[in-house]
Amino acid sequence: AALKGALRLQVSAALKEGHVTPTELCQQCLSLIKSTKFLNAYVTVAEETALKQAEESEKRHRRGQPLGVLDGIPVAVKDNFNTAGIETTCASNMLKGYISPYNATVVQKLLDQGAVLLGKTNLDEFAMGSGSTDGIFGPVRNPWSYSRQYKGKSVPKSHSEDEESNWVITGGSSGGSAAAVSSFTCFAALGSDTGGSTRNPAAHCGVVGLKPTYGLISRHGLIPLVNSMDVPGILTRCVDDAAIVLGSLAGHDPKDSTTIQDNFKPFELPNLTDVSKLSIGIPKEYHAPGLSSEILALWSKAADLFKNAGAKVIEVSLPHTCYSIVCYHVLCTAEVASNMARFDGLEYGHRSDMNKSTESLYAATRREGFNDVVRGRILSGNFFLLKQNYENYFIKAQKVRRLIANDFVKVFRSGVDILLTPTTLSDAVPYMEFIKEDNRTRSAQDDILTQAANMAGLPAINVPTALSKRGLPVGLQFIGRSFQEKQLLTVAKWFEKQVKFPMIQLEEVKRHDRNVFQYQKSASFS
Amino acid sequence: AARGCGGLWRRAWQRGAGGPAPRGQRAVACNARGGAVPAGKSGLAPWVPVVGLEIHAQISSNSKLFSGSQVQFAAPPNSLVSFFDASLPGTLPVLNRRCVEAAVMTGLALNCIINKKSLFDRKHYFYADLPAGYQITQQRVPIAVNGSLSYSLCIDNKMSQMVTKTVRIKQIQLEQDSGKSLHDDTRSQTLVDLNRAGVGLMEVVMEPDMCCGEEAAAAVRELQLVLQTLGSSQAVMAEGQLRVDANVSVHRPGEPYGVRTEVKNINSIRFLAKAVDYEIQRQIEELENGGIILNETRAFDSKLGCTVPMRDKEGKQDYRFMPEPNLPPLILYDAKSLPANMNHQQVVNIDWIHERLPDLPSVKRAKLVEQYGILPEHSFALLNEDGLTEFFENVVKQTQMKPKKVVGWILNYLLSYLKQHSLTVKESPVSSFLLADLLNLLEKKEISSTAAKQVLAELWKGEGKTPLEIVREKKLELIQDEKELEQICQAVIDGQENE
């Protein structure tokens, strides 16, 4: 009966004290998943295994020996992480029905700490997109579309039309995970973040979305988009929870040679009382074309908040930001072209019936297995990697990437602790609006404020900040120094406390379980 | 480094092994002396063949280059395949330290500069036995560069006239082996075995410093011995642990290199020499007949003894090289650069490996010559057979006979016996102990050398008799008692007189 709680502050304690059992919690989540099925947040619901895991957790709790804070906590995982025994599809025909024989390291770590895996969440095919609209399972609907806050403010039309044409996208590509956390069907979810795929939907769905430093969390078992930028992302309802999940996932993995060698020490976030020693940078280049006035206003309000609390707030410049999207496009498609080469229908995944020759089998398999977006990226990536183009595109893009990364190094070296930027250009747009533009245009626009952090490998977090005039969430992004997650999250937590982002008011959740509301405020950390 | 042998070939020069029948007996031997051959009777300027080699040596290691699966020859199909080897989505490469050490060792033995920082790249092409659609290799910065290998070969097949040559080693790169495709033409299907997929390879690139099959063969043989001595590769060609591709071209003296062809599918050193010589001859004939040489890949057909164009429907491939993003640069250390706080299990120290290099074949040969006073060519012969040097040394230890004489017995009699019966030294029914015994009898003049050969023939049967037993049984002792000899002689003379 603590569905809406935060891990650290409420649920974990409730579990520990026996106010709620892992099985109850799991069952509630499962039935909420069912009643919010129209959101299309989940691709696979692993009801049976989840209940079994909950049962095991319950035994541990009864013995008074839980495995940790996460023991018994229901979580969801984006469907581009391998999960042994549970289908892993990447929302692609290529992997439909594919059951991996192994768990991604992050999934294994969650399970090892007693988390209950509810299922796999929806995404854009192979995480290529910024709307969670381009997967074979159809688009994810933003839970806020059905919130009292949004409905109250949207232009009244006939009721049915309203529901069908006014619902807004979640952003992406981890839209399923963001929607799952936002609609209370799980307490934390894993996303992936290559150009903003965790922070973007987090902003649109009003949840916390953390993209850790590249190399802090293992990518082993994450089906790659861009290996040199991919990072498992964490979606939670509050910053403290993000820190808890981060603590349970971070650290060296012998199976991923790009993870840091040093030991990672999980941390608790202090309650910052004094921000006067902080230096907050406001990168002027993030005042990008297309930035809505509403978000701009919110951004400067946030800057004032820090200033008024005594922090040093200074405008800084990241001069190469404007080249970031073009550069990203080249590097991303090149790696995509390479990473997708393995999907040939021979070892696993979809295989075409065409068997005239090996080549025709490959061609048909890949044509049938991938959508236009994936195929388009494969084609452009291969173009950039051609011998005659390599210098002009790939090498140049790598050099620009270095310049972008150096921009951040310089700013942080100048004494700035944290950068504050918007996460998205605007609040979430209705699906009907969104699909007027193609995936490429959308991705280029939507990643603009987020993907420089991926280029530089830096940690960044979306913190839900306020509701827009339309009643939709708007988030701001904090970007920190490499491996300085503790500092980043501490500042984010302070900010979270100041802005008091409102809770989503969902009819479905209310209808589903009145107890949820009744208990969620009473359950608190002892 | 020496630039090739400068050997010149002419069409009409007829010496050596002889070519395949369809082309007439015109394949030519190499002018190993390195001198220019005067223009032929035709008056045409002779041809200069140029041969370079690309050699793939499978690294001898327990597990594969980037995964934990075992490396084993002839295991049941697809029994040694990890998730990574099958390129399951989400798997990542983890570099095998042993493979790195093997490559460093080999690089040092081949006088290379070891790059303290080398990089991995992806080379893309679609093939059924390449599950990821790319091979991880070292295209931009390989682990070792700019080395050399000295090898010797004999002139005109005479062991007594040996020359030493040097071939430059351009680079050694670490890369993954592919799986194996087995084409079933009757059922028109391809079966894929991924046991070999991901096994570590060292690609050794030899500069085009050779000029004939014999040189190429001698260079590869020397490399093979080096690898086996180091233990970095078992280098058995028949098991595919050593695979040689030859780049061959011919040109007129003073002119730029001709268009080259790449000859593949060479699976023994003997065939390497044949394939290269055939290809040189083919190119010369082609050019002399007014034809042109295509830059193509050709396969050596060992049954027909010739090279044939390989079907290459795709034409020229663009491999779309790209840095491998999942592997950080490979950093090697030496005593100077080794960081103090580094876990020594995690780093590869070049100096440490250097200090522990075993004696290389060239050094071993020099030592044999110096220590035992044997001829240099005999030292080659001893090293050429696995275990023969040890056999020789064991015999020497157990006998009073001079090593110079011992080596003669071993090379002339024992080795030819073994070769006749296709046995390895280890399988020899005559142990070093027995041979030493026999040679001691000879040395003490208890038997004649003719008798010794007879005893050796008996020993070969492996009936467990000692040389002395055989000598007694067959009454092969030399008679050393003067009186007895006198009596025998007298008897013979008397017999004569009576007639």
Side-chain angles (χ1 to χ4, degrees):
Chain A
L3 274 187
K4 294 181 95 173
L7 289 184
R8 178 183 146 68
L9 295 175
Q10 288 154 342
V11 185
S12 182
L15 283 170
K16 210 168 157 189
E17 289 175 3
H19 295 316
V20 61
T21 69
T23 307
E24 281 166 7
L25 208 52
C26 179
Q27 276 165 342
Q28 283 169 13
C29 285
L30 287 169
S31 59
L32 196 50
I33 289 173
K34 274 177 202 147
S35 59
T36 57
K37 202 170 185 296
F38 60 92
L39 294 176
N40 204 15
Y42 287 80
V43 165
T44 306
V45 181
E47 188 165 343
E48 221 172 285
T49 52
L51 284 169
K52 234 177 246 161
Q53 288 162 1
E55 210 175 289
E56 290 302 313
S57 168
E58 198 160 327
K59 282 183 201 158
R60 291 190 292 268
H61 276 287
R62 238 184 272 139
R63 284 200 305 266
Q65 293 171 323
L67 294 170
V69 192
L70 289 181
D71 203 340
I73 301 291
V75 298
V77 171
K78 190 179 181 180
D79 206 21
N80 59 350
F81 287 94
N82 281 277
T83 44
I86 303 172
E87 213 176 308
T88 300
T89 68
C90 284
S92 173
N93 279 321
M94 190 56 93
L95 285 178
K96 207 173 167 189
Y98 174 70
I99 294 180
S100 170
Y102 74 100
N103 279 323
T105 297
V106 284
V107 171
Q108 193 59 52
K109 284 193 170 186
L110 286 176
L111 295 177
D112 287 348
Q113 288 167 80
V116 173
L117 177 57
L118 295 169
K120 307 291 290 289
T121 58
N122 206 347
L123 65 158
D124 290 297
E125 182 160 333
F126 282 102
M128 295 182 206
S130 59
S132 301
T133 52
D134 283 332
I136 55 161
F137 302 107
V140 186
R141 297 179 179 213
N142 192 324
W144 286 83
S145 314
Y146 305 93
S147 69
R148 203 195 287 165
Q149 290 103 320
Y150 177 66
K151 280 182 177 171
K153 284 177 180 167
S154 60
V155 194
K157 288 183 187 171
S158 76
H159 188 72
S160 62
E161 196 189 336
D162 179 58
E163 293 254 313
E164 261 327 289
S165 64
N166 264 358
W167 65 268
V168 297
I169 58 149
T170 54
S173 63
S174 310
S177 289
V181 172
S182 159
S183 62
F184 304 101
T185 58
C186 66
F187 286 86
L190 295 185
S192 60
D193 195 314
T194 310
S197 277
T198 291
R199 288 159 288 157
N200 176 285
H204 285 327
C205 294
V207 298
V208 170
L210 171 66
K211 171 225 172 289
T213 309
Y214 184 87
L216 185 59
I217 300 191
S218 168
R219 292 178 296 114
H220 173 253
L222 165 62
I223 298 180
L225 175 59
V226 185
N227 303 282
S228 63
M229 298 184 212
D230 290 342
V231 183
I234 296 164
L235 295 118
T236 53
R237 285 198 286 273
C238 68
V239 177
D240 270 321
D241 287 359
I244 289 172
V245 178
L246 178 72
S248 70
L249 300 180
H252 178 68
D253 179 8
K255 289 174 180 153
D256 178 356
S257 310
T258 63
T259 49
I260 41 146
Q261 292 289 333
D262 315 342
N263 278 332
F264 174 83
K265 271 196 203 130
F267 48 78
E268 273 186 28
L269 295 178
N271 280 309
L272 210 55
T273 47
D274 179 19
V275 293
S276 64
K277 288 196 183 75
L278 268 183
S279 174
I280 305 286
I282 310 291
K284 60 178 181 189
E285 288 79 8
Y286 281 64
H287 189 161
L291 185 69
S292 79
S293 54
E294 215 177 346
I295 290 189
L296 180 62
L298 200 66
W299 184 18
S300 52
K301 213 175 134 191
D304 288 342
L305 188 67
F306 278 99
K307 207 185 285 172
N308 295 337
K312 197 169 142 199
V313 177
I314 42 170
E315 186 184 84
V316 295
S317 174
L318 300 164
H320 297 95
T321 304
C322 58
Y323 307 111
S324 194
I325 280 292
V326 179
C327 168
Y328 175 74
H329 181 69
V330 174
L331 296 177
C332 169
T333 55
E335 283 201 36
V336 163
S338 176
N339 288 331
M340 295 294 142
R342 70 188 55 216
F343 297 101
D344 55 14
L346 296 191
E347 281 82 15
Y348 44 80
H350 174 70
R351 184 193 290 201
S352 171
D353 295 329
M354 172 70 74
N355 57 4
K356 262 192 358 218
S357 68
T358 312
E359 286 75 20
S360 63
L361 170 70
Y362 288 159
T365 296
R366 291 164 68 77
R367 191 182 55 243
E368 292 160 16
F370 294 136
N371 70 4
D372 288 351
V373 177
V374 179
R375 289 212 308 278
R377 289 200 194 183
I378 290 172
L379 283 174
S380 25
N382 276 317
F383 175 81
F384 297 137
L385 288 178
L386 284 178
K387 210 172 177 185
Q388 79 233 40
N389 297 332
Y390 189 74
E391 283 286 327
N392 278 335
Y393 292 95
F394 192 82
I395 294 290
K396 272 196 186 151
Q398 276 194 317
K399 286 180 180 165
V400 174
R401 179 179 185 177
R402 173 72 66 192
L403 292 173
I404 291 165
N406 285 345
D407 279 354
F408 285 103
V409 171
K410 280 179 201 154
V411 163
F412 286 126
R413 209 175 273 158
S414 77
V416 167
D417 297 306
I418 303 276
L419 295 169
L420 171 63
T421 81
T423 311
T424 57
L425 293 173
S426 69
D427 57 2
V429 296
Y431 175 69
M432 299 312 281
E433 192 73 28
F434 187 80
I435 56 171
K436 283 180 186 159
E437 302 264 25
D438 65 35
N439 178 293
R440 203 188 145 225
T441 316
R442 279 296 180 193
S443 300
Q445 284 169 358
D446 297 338
D447 288 346
I448 198 154
L449 302 169
T450 44
Q451 66 54 233
N454 298 82
M455 292 275 198
L458 299 172
I461 187 170
N462 170 74
V463 182
T465 307
L467 293 185
S468 68
K469 284 183 208 115
R470 297 194 293 147
L472 292 173
V474 173
L476 291 177
Q477 172 179 239
F478 294 89
I479 305 173
R481 292 193 176 104
S482 252
F483 298 107
Q484 298 303 311
E485 269 76 4
K486 188 172 178 185
Q487 185 186 40
L488 175 72
L489 291 172
T490 303
V491 172
K493 182 180 171 181
W494 179 86
F495 181 73
E496 177 186 50
K497 209 171 157 191
Q498 311 302 311
V499 295
K500 297 190 186 69
F501 181 74
M503 189 168 277
I504 186 170
Q505 291 169 20
L506 264 187
E507 285 303 317
E508 282 69 22
V509 178
K510 219 181 203 176
R511 240 184 287 141
H512 168 257
D513 186 357
R514 287 183 193 285
N515 292 337
V516 167
F517 281 104
Q518 204 178 318
Y519 282 102
Q520 64 95 8
K521 273 165 197 157
S522 63
S524 67
F525 195 73
S526 58
Chain B
R3 273 289 310 143
C5 67
L8 302 175
W9 287 45
R10 284 168 307 133
R11 227 185 126 178
W13 192 30
Q14 291 186 27
R15 221 162 46 184
R23 292 199 161 258
Q25 303 295 317
R26 260 194 286 115
V28 281
C30 175
N31 171 24
R33 284 181 205 91
V37 172
K41 281 175 204 153
S42 62
L44 277 170
W47 294 96
V48 187
V50 175
V51 181
L53 299 174
E54 280 171 28
I55 299 152
H56 288 91
Q58 231 179 48
I59 297 169
S60 168
S61 59
N62 294 329
S63 57
K64 294 184 182 179
L65 182 55
F66 296 121
S67 80
S69 21
Q70 240 194 306
V71 176
Q72 197 189 312
F73 181 70
N78 294 312
S79 61
L80 309 171
V81 186
S82 70
F83 299 154
F84 175 79
D85 304 328
S87 81
L88 294 199
T91 52
L92 299 169
V94 179
L95 183 58
N96 179 345
R97 180 195 157 98
R98 155 71 194 163
C99 294
V100 175
E101 287 171 342
V104 170
M105 215 187 271
T106 307
L108 291 171
L110 298 179
N111 309 301
C112 290
I113 295 166
I114 306 296
N115 280 323
K116 300 250 178 71
K117 176 182 171 183
S118 61
L119 304 170
F120 290 98
D121 304 282
R122 292 179 179 182
K123 175 182 179 177
H124 298 90
Y125 60 93
F126 282 106
Y127 207 77
D129 54 28
L130 187 75
Y134 56 81
Q135 174 199 37
I136 303 178
T137 177
Q138 294 195 301
Q139 188 232 358
R140 291 166 298 163
V141 187
I143 191 163
V145 291
N146 296 339
S148 64
L149 172 69
S150 291
Y151 61 95
S152 298
L153 68 164
C154 42
I155 298 167
D156 302 336
N157 277 327
K158 279 183 215 144
M159 279 301 278
S160 54
Q161 288 185 290
M162 299 200 78
V163 287
T164 298
K165 305 207 162 200
T166 302
V167 56
R168 291 167 303 154
I169 307 289
K170 185 173 178 237
Q171 63 184 57
I172 300 173
Q173 64 199 48
L174 278 167
E175 61 184 34
Q176 295 173 296
D177 209 340
S178 63
K180 274 183 188 165
S181 292
L182 307 156
H183 303 286
D184 181 345
D185 286 333
T186 47
R187 261 167 271 181
S188 78
Q189 60 180 9
T190 300
L191 302 169
V192 180
D193 178 6
L194 294 181
N195 281 353
R196 205 182 65 179
V199 171
L201 292 178
M202 296 178 279
E203 181 178 331
V204 180
V205 182
M206 289 186 182
E207 298 277 17
D209 295 344
M210 292 151 285
C211 69
C212 63
E214 212 186 316
E215 282 191 8
V220 169
R221 178 61 187 138
E222 187 67 14
L223 176 68
Q224 192 178 33
L225 282 175
V226 169
L227 295 173
Q228 287 167 346
T229 304
L230 297 173
S232 59
S233 170
Q234 286 171 299
V236 179
M237 280 187 89
E239 293 185 5
Q241 288 149 347
L242 196 70
R243 302 193 282 273
V244 183
D245 300 335
N247 291 312
V248 178
S249 70
V250 299
H251 64 276
R252 297 282 191 190
E255 287 179 13
Y257 283 3
V259 176
R260 65 176 201 197
T261 59
E262 187 179 8
V263 183
K264 289 181 178 276
N265 200 27
I266 302 166
N267 44 32
S268 76
I269 288 181
R270 200 163 55 89
F271 288 154
L272 169 64
K274 271 192 166 183
V276 167
D277 285 342
Y278 175 87
E279 184 58 18
I280 290 169
Q281 192 58 38
R282 185 192 70 83
Q283 290 188 10
I284 292 173
E285 277 179 32
E286 193 71 48
L287 291 168
E288 291 201 342
N289 292 332
I292 51 159
I293 303 302
L294 299 174
N295 179 213
E296 63 181 353
T297 305
R298 300 177 68 87
F300 179 67
D301 185 321
S302 56
K303 280 186 196 129
L304 298 175
C306 65
T307 68
V308 288
M310 279 175 97
R311 278 175 299 148
D312 193 5
K313 278 186 282 181
E314 308 292 319
K316 268 278 152 212
Q317 290 243 32
D318 188 322
Y319 291 119
R320 292 155 288 134
F321 283 101
M322 190 191 87
E324 167 56 66
N326 294 321
L327 289 166
L330 170 55
I331 306 291
L332 304 174
Y333 297 91
D334 56 19
K336 257 192 221 158
S337 66
L338 193 71
N341 57 346
M342 198 75 109
N343 180 354
H344 285 233
Q345 293 295 310
Q346 302 249 321
V347 298
V348 173
N349 181 343
I350 301 167
D351 290 336
W352 194 90
I353 294 174
H354 207 164
E355 284 159 22
R356 282 156 186 81
L357 279 187
D359 277 349
L360 294 176
S362 53
V363 175
K364 276 195 195 165
R365 289 187 199 108
K367 282 190 180 171
L368 285 173
V369 170
E370 194 186 333
Q371 190 177 347
Y372 300 110
I374 62 173
L375 293 169
E377 55 265 33
H378 288 166
S379 70
F380 273 90
L382 284 179
L383 254 76
N384 248 334
E385 290 305 316
D386 192 25
L388 197 58
T389 307
E390 292 72 23
F391 191 99
F392 162 74
E393 289 186 307
N394 283 337
V395 176
V396 167
K397 263 183 230 156
Q398 299 170 66
T399 163
Q400 292 83 39
M401 188 183 265
K402 278 193 175 153
K404 231 177 169 173
K405 273 173 84 184
V406 172
V407 84
W409 274 89
I410 286 180
L411 296 180
N412 295 332
Y413 303 110
L414 183 93
L415 191 58
S416 58
Y417 265 125
L418 291 173
K419 289 242 160 113
Q420 258 172 42
H421 297 88
S422 320
L423 292 173
T424 64
V425 175
K426 275 189 195 119
E427 292 163 336
S428 170
V430 181
S431 66
S432 57
F433 175 77
L434 285 178
L435 185 64
D437 241 16
L438 174 63
L439 296 184
N440 277 337
L441 292 177
L442 183 63
E443 191 64 14
K444 283 188 241 151
K445 298 209 166 66
E446 289 179 21
I447 53 171
S448 68
S449 75
T450 318
K453 281 171 211 166
Q454 261 178 280
V455 175
L456 189 58
E458 279 301 309
L459 283 175
W460 201 254
K461 292 176 185 162
E463 287 167 348
K465 293 175 196 159
T466 65
L468 195 60
E469 283 166 356
I470 296 168
V471 166
R472 292 212 175 116
E473 214 171 84
K474 302 236 163 196
K475 296 197 170 57
L476 295 170
E477 304 97 330
L478 283 181
I479 301 158
Q480 291 181 331
D481 185 335
E482 229 168 276
K483 276 195 180 145
E484 197 184 340
L485 267 178
E486 234 170 68
Q487 281 173 5
I488 293 169
C489 291
Q490 199 55 55
V492 173
I493 292 166
D494 292 348
Q496 287 282 356
E497 282 177 350
N498 289 343
E499 274 177 20

